[in-house]
Amino acid sequence: MKLQQLRYIREVARNNLNVSQAAQALFTSQPGVSKQIRALEAELGVDVFARHGKQLTHITEAGQAILRSVDEIVQRVDNIEAIAREFTDDRRGSLSIATTHTQSRYVLPAVISRFMERFPEISLHMHQGTPMQISELAANGTADFAIATEAMELFKDLVMLPCYSWNRVVLVPKSHPLVTETPLTLSNLNKYPLVTYTFGFTGRSKLDEAFQRENLVPKVVFTAADADVIKTYVRLGLGVGIVAKMAYDPGLDQDLVAVDASHLFEPSVTSIGFRRDFFFRSYMFDFIEMFAPHLEKELVQEASQMSAEGDRAALFRDLELPEQRGC
């Protein structure tokens, strides 16, 4: 049994049994991958993948059990390689982040600019996706860090640390009646069709909870994961927009008015997560602290060594998180 063979079956599984895509990701040939998988299965005496002719159809029960161990083995090998690199050159390497559009568009650019200025030899990769996709990318090692707000239950395999709180604004054209509606109430807001985030994205649950507490049913006529798309449809007159305050840019959005709505909704918290057995390169601690200054190296290390989620929650219970206000 060779480590290379374990990497091959892991990559094929991660690419939905597409051997060609797995071969491309591994920078090798499709026949080579297929040959090595067959050799591994022959050595083990069980099939990892079921087949119809030459086509892989699904992962066998034995294969699923094997792949769970393979993930652990490959992760430990990657950690060993990372440890070695840390002692040979701690300013070279890569950093991969999985996050949502809002984070990558409105929060991370300034952080990444500072990071790349300090670590020009680090190769940085950004993956955008749904909370489910973000969770999977970090859990399977494709991404080093997951940065998200919603669906924390999806991140049970990750250590999630709170970074900052944020709230919302209502976006309307300058001539809209809500511009002069003081104070803004949910009842007044509910008179108009709403354009906001897709459920599961960017604090949408806090919005729904606020309306439910008032026994109101929001008239959501359009949803999107991208705040820029939401603003486009507000400009088209489809409805009133509700977005994260950080997504409003006074310079670029001069045709829209941002009405503060922080008194209507509970603040949301954005967190950064990593695998429980994750080995940190030194520059990774620097990235986390640039993104969330209160998450100093010692605090991250302490939190990562805690086995119980309740202990981590207690560690941050009295911490006053900074507020992310906007561009």
Side-chain angles (χ1 to χ4, degrees):
M1 185 188 310
K2 301 175 182 178
L3 178 62
Q4 181 188 53
Q5 294 171 328
L6 301 183
R7 290 190 184 277
Y8 283 4
I9 62 172
R10 181 176 186 247
E11 198 63 37
V12 169
R14 288 167 63 175
N15 280 273
N16 299 316
L17 308 188
N18 189 313
V19 181
S20 295
Q21 289 182 5
Q24 290 177 4
L26 293 162
F27 302 102
T28 188
S29 66
Q30 177 181 343
V33 171
S34 297
K35 180 180 178 180
Q36 289 299 322
I37 290 175
R38 284 290 196 185
L40 177 63
E41 290 176 322
E43 181 181 350
L44 295 175
V46 296
D47 287 338
V48 176
F49 303 106
R51 296 167 174 82
H52 180 72
K54 294 183 177 180
Q55 187 73 31
L56 304 185
T57 58
H58 63 275
I59 302 171
T60 65
E61 184 178 354
Q64 291 174 356
I66 289 168
L67 282 164
R68 285 194 290 271
S69 293
V70 167
D71 281 337
E72 295 177 10
I73 292 168
V74 173
Q75 184 58 53
R76 290 184 182 277
V77 171
D78 288 345
N79 284 350
I80 291 170
E81 293 173 347
I83 292 169
R85 287 194 297 270
E86 184 68 16
F87 282 92
T88 55
D89 189 350
D90 63 357
R91 299 188 70 83
R92 290 179 180 272
S94 64
L95 179 63
S96 180
I97 301 164
T99 189
T100 61
H101 171 269
T102 298
Q103 303 298 328
S104 61
R105 168 69 175 83
Y106 297 105
V107 182
L108 284 170
V111 177
I112 288 175
S113 179
R114 288 174 53 211
F115 180 82
M116 296 307 294
E117 183 177 350
R118 184 171 177 182
F119 299 100
E121 300 299 320
I122 302 299
S123 174
L124 198 142
H125 309 278
M126 187 82 70
H127 305 272
Q128 289 188 42
T130 66
M132 175 68 80
Q133 291 167 336
I134 293 166
S135 173
E136 290 176 350
L137 288 169
N140 67 27
T142 301
D144 298 311
F145 296 137
I147 298 176
T149 299
E150 286 285 339
M152 288 297 106
E153 69 277 3
L154 299 176
F155 297 81
K156 59 182 180 296
D157 294 329
L158 305 176
V159 176
M160 300 298 292
L161 308 182
C163 297
Y164 62 83
S165 66
W166 58 270
N167 218 307
R168 297 144 188 81
V169 293
V170 170
L171 294 183
V172 292
K174 292 182 177 180
S175 59
H176 197 280
L178 286 181
V179 173
T180 57
E181 197 77 57
T182 306
L184 180 65
T185 65
L186 285 178
S187 295
N188 290 336
L189 187 57
N190 207 41
K191 296 175 182 177
Y192 305 95
L194 302 180
V195 181
T196 191
Y197 296 109
T198 303
F199 187 80
F201 278 83
T202 320
R204 169 65 189 272
S205 62
K206 298 294 185 182
L207 184 150
D208 292 333
E209 289 168 5
F211 279 97
Q212 288 172 5
R213 283 195 298 270
E214 297 292 327
N215 294 317
L216 297 172
V217 178
K219 303 172 184 176
V220 178
V221 296
F222 182 87
T223 63
D226 184 331
D228 292 330
V229 173
I230 293 171
K231 287 187 277 190
T232 295
Y233 284 89
V234 171
R235 291 184 173 103
L236 290 174
L238 191 63
V240 170
I242 304 178
V243 299
K245 187 181 295 185
M246 69 190 85
Y248 175 72
D249 188 328
L252 298 176
D253 301 322
Q254 295 182 21
D255 57 326
L256 298 176
V257 175
V259 181
D260 182 61
S262 58
H263 60 291
L264 300 180
F265 306 105
E266 291 291 325
S268 293
V269 173
T270 292
S271 299
I272 187 167
F274 48 85
R275 296 179 302 284
R276 298 178 189 280
D277 58 350
F278 186 65
F279 175 78
F280 280 87
R281 302 287 304 277
S282 57
Y283 59 80
M284 294 175 176
F285 287 114
D286 289 280
F287 173 83
I288 290 179
E289 192 168 348
M290 288 180 187
F291 183 66
H294 62 281
L295 293 179
E296 299 176 343
K297 179 179 179 179
E298 293 75 15
L299 185 59
V300 174
Q301 289 177 320
E302 182 180 359
S304 65
Q305 291 166 5
M306 292 177 171
S307 58
E309 192 61 40
D311 292 339
R312 270 193 296 275
L315 181 64
F316 295 101
R317 185 170 295 136
D318 298 327
L319 181 66
E320 186 174 345
L321 293 177
E323 182 181 358
Q324 179 60 248
R325 294 182 177 276
C327 300

